[in-house]
Amino acid sequence: AQSVTQLGSHVSVSEGALVLLRCNYSSSVPPYLFWYVQYPNQGLQLLLKYTSAATLVKGINGFEAEFKKSETSFHLTKPSAHMSDAAEYFCAVSDRGFGNEKLTFGTGTRLTIIP
Amino acid sequence: DGGITQSPKYLFRKEGQNVTLSCEQNLNHDAMYWYRQDPGQGLRLIYYSQIVNDFQKGDIAEGYSVSREKKESFPLTVTSAQKNPTAFYLCASSTRQGGNTEAFFGQGTRLTVV
């Protein structure tokens, strides 16, 4: 079974500092990996996804993530935090099999930006 | 604009009542999903449907029911058998094209039992 572990349920960084949100996955087959962002009382918006092309994936709002198979990791980074980045972030994994698109989510990381 | 519409945004239910949450999409996606979100637990899959007139249980299906009579619609009924229904419910859809999937989410329905 697939699973995702997000280390740190809460992360605080200063405005302008590096953002690093950690995600490790477990999958018996090469996975698809995703990062989603959620603002209060809203749905989820896709930040970026890994589907086996480049291991460094660039997403929206200046975020990027690197797929590291040896470490089974897909950490999310942003060089300089902005106040508008305050939200909850979810890492998710899905199987590659055709028709197996359902996502398994981590428990989320709430990002707080300190002015 | 294409997207997923969930209604209502807020819903209050008395104990012992069934309620139905609506989810409609105009993205022409084959697959649709219902997730439940509780603080600190992430999103958990309730039911999913990969094609009209077919659906499968997810990880926490007990106390819920769904139907998929139309491609565009995937309503979720929270029955009185669901012991703790207060939560945020999210509907999503995805395409099956080429096995490269991306799920699109609605804005959610917050259900409160009073």
Side-chain angles (χ1 to χ4, degrees):
Chain A
Q2 299 165 319
S3 66
V4 167
T5 301
Q6 290 185 242
L7 295 176
S9 58
H10 292 85
V11 170
S12 296
V13 301
S14 297
E15 190 175 14
L18 172 72
V19 174
L20 170 60
L21 304 183
R22 300 178 185 275
C23 173
N24 289 87
Y25 69 91
S26 173
S27 177
S28 59
V29 297
Y32 290 144
L33 292 162
F34 306 81
W35 275 101
Y36 284 86
V37 62
Q38 184 182 36
Y39 298 99
N41 291 312
Q42 294 191 24
L44 275 66
Q45 179 183 8
L46 182 71
L47 279 177
L48 50 80
K49 62 181 178 181
Y50 167 75
T51 58
S52 83
T55 56
L56 181 62
V57 181
K58 294 188 183 298
I60 62 171
N61 301 339
F63 284 94
E64 62 182 36
E66 186 172 8
F67 173 70
K68 292 187 176 181
K69 184 178 178 180
S70 60
E71 299 178 6
T72 61
S73 69
F74 190 57
H75 302 331
L76 182 71
T77 61
K78 182 174 180 178
S80 177
H82 191 273
M83 294 301 295
S84 61
D85 295 328
E88 189 151 22
Y89 293 80
F90 292 93
C91 184
V93 61
S94 74
D95 198 345
R96 286 180 173 270
F98 188 74
N100 291 319
E101 299 89 355
K102 60 185 186 293
L103 295 165
T104 299
F105 285 87
T107 52
T109 297
R110 184 169 300 279
L111 177 64
T112 300
I113 310 298
I114 304 166
Chain B
D1 285 334
I4 301 177
T5 301
Q6 290 187 241
S7 61
K9 189 170 179 64
Y10 298 96
L11 186 58
F12 297 88
R13 188 195 94 172
K14 292 183 179 179
E15 287 198 32
Q17 285 183 338
N18 294 353
V19 290
T20 297
L21 283 59
S22 171
C23 178
E24 304 277 334
Q25 56 100 358
N26 61 4
L27 299 167
N28 198 33
H29 286 172
D30 291 301
M32 297 187 73
Y33 315 82
W34 274 105
Y35 291 90
R36 169 179 171 142
Q37 185 176 18
D38 296 281
Q41 297 193 49
L43 281 74
R44 294 179 290 169
L45 183 64
I46 305 172
Y47 269 98
Y48 64 103
S49 167
Q50 294 173 324
I51 197 168
V52 175
N53 292 322
D54 188 43
F55 49 83
Q56 287 79 40
K57 293 181 179 180
D59 301 317
I60 56 165
E62 184 176 353
Y64 300 98
S65 66
V66 294
S67 63
R68 186 86 187 276
E69 297 177 0
K70 297 186 301 181
K71 188 175 185 177
E72 301 80 16
S73 178
F74 192 42
L76 173 74
T77 297
V78 184
T79 75
S80 57
Q82 169 49 235
K83 300 303 181 190
N84 184 21
T86 295
F88 191 51
Y89 291 87
L90 287 161
C91 180
S93 71
S94 68
T95 178
R96 302 174 66 184
Q97 294 297 321
N100 183 356
T101 187
E102 173 186 335
F104 292 82
F105 284 80
Q107 293 298 294
T109 293
R110 185 165 298 281
L111 174 63
T112 303
V113 173
V114 296

